[in-house]
Amino acid sequence: MASTNGNESTADFVRNSRIRLNLTQEELAETLGFERRSIMRFERGAFLPTYVRLALECLLMKQQQKKQRAKERAAHKQKERSEQSRQSPS
């Protein structure tokens, strides 16, 4: 297994988080209050302030919660349709 230093894993974390959030570097920069060149530096592993990592983790959790709520709403609607079809006369 190839070893990676902290900078590589940090760079991967930023890049992969941005991709999972479906954001461009410019959009992520605007969301976090940075310039695009800062995001580029983060993705190269130059440095990553702790609060940026926390902000990315919060954005990822928020996205995950939205997906979960959407899945729950879809399941609830499906259950309602199923119950309605059983109750309606044939």
Side-chain angles (χ1 to χ4, degrees):
M1 179 166 122
S3 66
T4 60
N5 64 34
N7 288 341
E8 289 172 340
S9 62
T10 297
D12 289 342
F13 171 75
V14 175
R15 185 178 314 102
N16 292 336
S17 296
R18 178 178 59 78
I19 291 168
R20 285 178 38 201
L21 291 165
N22 198 30
L23 297 174
T24 64
Q25 288 179 335
E26 187 68 36
E27 291 167 334
L28 181 60
E30 185 177 317
T31 299
L32 296 176
F34 285 94
E35 294 183 7
R36 181 174 174 260
R37 67 178 176 228
S38 294
I39 302 302
M40 292 170 62
R41 289 171 50 203
F42 299 158
E43 289 188 1
R44 283 196 312 267
F47 72 101
L48 182 65
T50 302
Y51 63 89
V52 172
R53 184 176 184 93
L54 290 173
L56 282 170
E57 289 174 358
C58 288
L59 289 171
L60 290 167
M61 286 180 8
K62 185 176 179 180
Q63 180 189 52
Q64 186 177 13
Q65 288 173 340
K66 282 183 179 179
K67 287 180 180 179
Q68 182 62 34
R69 283 193 299 267
K71 190 184 289 186
E72 290 169 358
R73 282 192 301 270
H76 181 72
K77 286 181 181 180
Q78 178 64 32
K79 183 179 176 183
E80 286 179 341
R81 284 192 295 264
S82 177
E83 289 174 357
Q84 287 174 352
S85 68
R86 279 188 262 144
Q87 293 175 356
S88 64
S90 301

